[in-house]
């Protein structure tokens, strides 16, 4: 995933894909590409949350060491 996404944008796009799948709005011809995109978005969101958590822990550790 090379484009610059925010967590909110990725989450909203993922929700859109899920909603379309639940409402049978994705044709079999689109399914493979949508599943691949959803996988990329999930990975992005997981990494974003992990990185954010690491950053927060670092800040708290720095504050606690003062």
């Amino acid at each position: 995933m090379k484009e610059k996404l925010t967590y909110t944008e990725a989450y909203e796009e993922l929700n859109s894909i899920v909603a379309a799948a639940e409402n049978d709005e994705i044709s079999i011809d689109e399914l493979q590409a949508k599943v691949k995109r959803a996988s990329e978005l999930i990975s992005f969101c997981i990494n974003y949350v992990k990185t954010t958590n690491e950053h927060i822990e670092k800040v708290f550790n720095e504050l606690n060491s003062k």
Side-chain angles (χ1 to χ4, degrees):
M1 187 176 313
K2 294 177 183 170
E3 78 256 35
K4 187 76 171 173
L5 279 179
T6 65
Y7 179 86
T8 302
E9 291 168 337
Y11 185 77
E12 288 174 357
E13 185 179 347
L14 184 57
N15 279 330
S16 174
I17 292 169
V18 170
E22 289 176 341
N23 295 322
D24 296 326
E25 297 171 359
I26 298 176
S27 73
I28 192 71
D29 298 320
E30 298 173 295
L31 186 58
Q32 184 178 10
K34 293 291 185 180
V35 169
K36 182 176 188 277
R37 179 63 177 165
S39 175
E40 292 169 348
L41 292 167
I42 290 167
S43 292
F44 173 83
C45 288
I46 289 170
N47 287 332
Y48 193 95
V49 169
K50 284 173 64 175
T51 302
T52 300
N53 187 48
E54 289 169 0
H55 178 73
I56 291 169
E57 285 181 6
K58 180 181 175 188
V59 169
F60 278 131
N61 288 337
E62 288 174 359
L63 289 173
N64 285 332
S65 69
K66 291 182 178 184

